[in-house]
Amino acid sequence: MRPRSLILDVTVELVFHTTLLVSLWLLAVGHNLPGGGFVGGLVAGGGFVLRYVAGLDRRDPRPRISPEALMGIGLVVAGCTAMGAWAFGGQLLESGAVEATLPLLGKVKVLSPLFFDAGVYLVVVGLVLAEIRVLGDEASRGASRGVGREEEPA
């Protein structure tokens, strides 16, 4: 087994956390600018894939949070947000806004598509984590059988 590169480990950790921040920014601005839950989820998923490819998560490819739970929570959030307008006499997927004055932030306006995008974000991240888990299990089985190893000269 090759020794791990400290430079690679530190760089991947920095890029991973930056990627998560960018994905949250894309989620937040997705209503008015390009981005949203799907794009933000893909960017976050790319960060998780980068960690796995760099070998930081290879010892235990299973994510700490169940991907199925993330996808389920995301579907419930997106579905409830989509149907939430029915409770107020609106149509499916009709958007709404809530304005509030918060002590430190001042006047804040929150739109309902943000919650729908958050649900989509969780579904996409959960899907990517599930794929990492499946591919990690396949790679582990292949490694245990010796697939991909070079033959040592006799």
mmCIF file of all heavy atoms in Angstrom, residues 22 28 63 81 151:
data_model
loop_
_atom_site.group_PDB
_atom_site.id
_atom_site.type_symbol
_atom_site.label_atom_id
_atom_site.label_comp_id
_atom_site.label_asym_id
_atom_site.label_seq_id
_atom_site.Cartn_x
_atom_site.Cartn_y
_atom_site.Cartn_z
ATOM 1 N N VAL A 22 -20.133 26.457 -1.405
ATOM 2 C CA VAL A 22 -20.616 26.907 -2.722
ATOM 3 C C VAL A 22 -21.963 26.254 -3.029
ATOM 4 O O VAL A 22 -22.869 26.901 -3.568
ATOM 5 C CB VAL A 22 -19.566 26.598 -3.810
ATOM 6 C CG1 VAL A 22 -20.147 26.799 -5.202
ATOM 7 C CG2 VAL A 22 -18.331 27.462 -3.623
ATOM 8 N N ALA A 28 -29.193 28.709 -2.059
ATOM 9 C CA ALA A 28 -29.856 29.917 -1.563
ATOM 10 C C ALA A 28 -30.200 30.898 -2.673
ATOM 11 O O ALA A 28 -31.234 31.558 -2.614
ATOM 12 C CB ALA A 28 -28.979 30.592 -0.508
ATOM 13 N N PRO A 63 -21.585 6.424 4.295
ATOM 14 C CA PRO A 63 -21.724 7.760 4.858
ATOM 15 C C PRO A 63 -22.289 7.708 6.270
ATOM 16 O O PRO A 63 -22.934 6.743 6.655
ATOM 17 C CB PRO A 63 -22.695 8.463 3.903
ATOM 18 C CG PRO A 63 -23.343 7.380 3.142
ATOM 19 C CD PRO A 63 -22.458 6.181 3.179
ATOM 20 N N THR A 81 -43.877 21.082 0.479
ATOM 21 C CA THR A 81 -43.797 22.458 -0.017
ATOM 22 C C THR A 81 -44.646 22.625 -1.272
ATOM 23 O O THR A 81 -45.343 23.630 -1.430
ATOM 24 C CB THR A 81 -42.335 22.832 -0.316
ATOM 25 O OG1 THR A 81 -41.555 22.626 0.855
ATOM 26 C CG2 THR A 81 -42.222 24.262 -0.755
ATOM 27 N N GLU A 151 0.607 -8.194 -10.762
ATOM 28 C CA GLU A 151 1.282 -9.437 -10.400
ATOM 29 C C GLU A 151 2.714 -9.125 -9.993
ATOM 30 O O GLU A 151 3.411 -8.337 -10.640
ATOM 31 C CB GLU A 151 1.298 -10.392 -11.603
ATOM 32 C CG GLU A 151 -0.072 -10.868 -12.012
ATOM 33 C CD GLU A 151 -0.644 -11.858 -11.017
ATOM 34 O OE1 GLU A 151 0.140 -12.616 -10.419
ATOM 35 O OE2 GLU A 151 -1.874 -11.843 -10.822
#
